């Protein structure tokens, strides 16, 4: 199990959803060989696991950017999940919305900044940023404090870092730390 694993108590299925997304992001990070190349942008991912299907109050569609639901409709689709994530990570932009049951929404979104809704103003105090965070990670940590959101998972396109955010807390691993003793290097 990765060091990023989060304890969700009695919600084993939700924990498995987040873990599968984290492992998927780790797979995409480790599979990309160009991280050390100058001026190369690597794959990037942003997943948000939500407990409420009405995410339109804090997210906007990202144009035509879509998750390929026809081939990978769920996080429980194993190898096709990783294949879809590899494709999306280099060809699409935006957040991927995942329900707590593992179903993946087709429309990718941009999550609005925290505090844009009146009921969120108190949540802004629950967020603190780290120096390594770029805009994707700042959005993910802000999104993670919303009551409707269980967790967010990101893959940095600059460094290959994989992070899991929950309730404004970041658990992050640099690319060279991913996989630990199972990494074949």
């Amino acid at each position: 199990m990765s060091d990023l694993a989060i304890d969700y108590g009695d919600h084993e299925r939700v924990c498995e959803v987040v873990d599968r997304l984290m492992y998927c992001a780790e797979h995409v990070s480790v599979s990309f060989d160009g991280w050390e190349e100058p001026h190369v942008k690597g794959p990037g991912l942003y997943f948000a696991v939500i407990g409420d299907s009405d995410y339109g109050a804090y997210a906007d569609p990202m144009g035509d950017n879509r998750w390929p639901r026809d081939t990978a409709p769920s996080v429980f689709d194993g190898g096709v999940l990783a294949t879809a994530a590899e494709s999306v990570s280099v060809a699409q932009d935006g957040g991927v919305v995942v329900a707590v049951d593992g179903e993946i929404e087709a429309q990718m979104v941009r999550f609005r900044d925290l505090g844009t809704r009146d009921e969120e103003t108190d949540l802004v105090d629950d967020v603190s940023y780290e120096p390594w965070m770029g805009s994707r990670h700042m959005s993910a940590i802000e999104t993670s404090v919303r009551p409707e959101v269980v967790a967010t998972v990101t893959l940095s396109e600059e460094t290959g870092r994989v992070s899991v955010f929950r309730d404004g807390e970041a658990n992050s691993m640099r690319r060279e730390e991913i996989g630990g003793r199972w990494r074949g290097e």
Side-chain angles (χ1 to χ4, degrees):
M1 188 173 227
S2 173
D3 293 338
L4 295 179
I6 295 175
D7 179 18
Y8 292 98
D10 295 331
H11 303 285
E12 290 180 29
R13 184 73 167 186
V14 175
C15 182
E16 187 176 355
V17 168
V18 175
D19 284 350
R20 285 177 179 262
L21 294 171
M22 180 189 62
Y23 297 142
C24 180
E26 289 179 351
H27 166 80
V28 173
S29 179
V30 171
S31 297
F32 182 70
D33 292 329
W35 293 111
E36 303 303 320
E37 299 293 323
H39 310 294
V40 171
K41 179 180 117 178
L45 290 167
Y46 181 174
F47 294 105
V49 179
I50 62 167
D52 182 0
S53 61
D54 187 22
Y55 55 88
Y58 54 91
D60 298 309
M62 284 288 290
D64 293 332
N65 292 330
R66 300 274 190 277
W67 178 266
R69 269 197 53 85
D70 55 329
T71 58
S74 168
V75 301
F76 297 104
D77 290 331
V80 295
L81 175 67
T83 301
E86 286 176 338
S87 174
V88 165
S89 71
V90 296
Q92 305 288 337
D93 191 20
V96 179
V97 176
V98 181
V100 292
D101 66 358
E103 288 296 306
I104 304 171
E105 293 285 327
Q107 178 66 60
M108 294 175 68
V109 301
R110 181 191 72 77
F111 292 100
R112 293 188 198 127
D113 293 341
L114 191 60
T116 55
R117 297 185 302 170
D118 289 340
E119 62 268 23
E120 295 178 341
T121 54
D122 292 340
L123 299 175
V124 175
D125 295 335
D126 295 337
V127 177
S128 61
Y129 306 105
E130 299 292 330
W132 56 264
M133 291 180 178
S135 59
R136 174 177 288 140
H137 312 293
M138 289 180 188
S139 173
I141 199 167
E142 286 184 6
T143 300
S144 79
V145 300
R146 288 188 163 102
E148 307 92 340
V149 177
V150 175
T152 56
V153 177
T154 61
L155 167 61
S156 170
E157 64 189 23
E158 285 84 23
T159 64
R161 176 189 291 263
V162 175
S163 304
V164 178
F165 304 92
R166 183 164 189 254
D167 297 327
E169 297 290 323
N171 293 301
S172 187
M173 290 182 97
R174 293 185 319 270
R175 183 177 182 272
E176 57 273 6
E177 298 170 328
I178 295 171
R181 65 179 184 223
W182 294 280
R183 190 165 180 188
E185 288 189 357

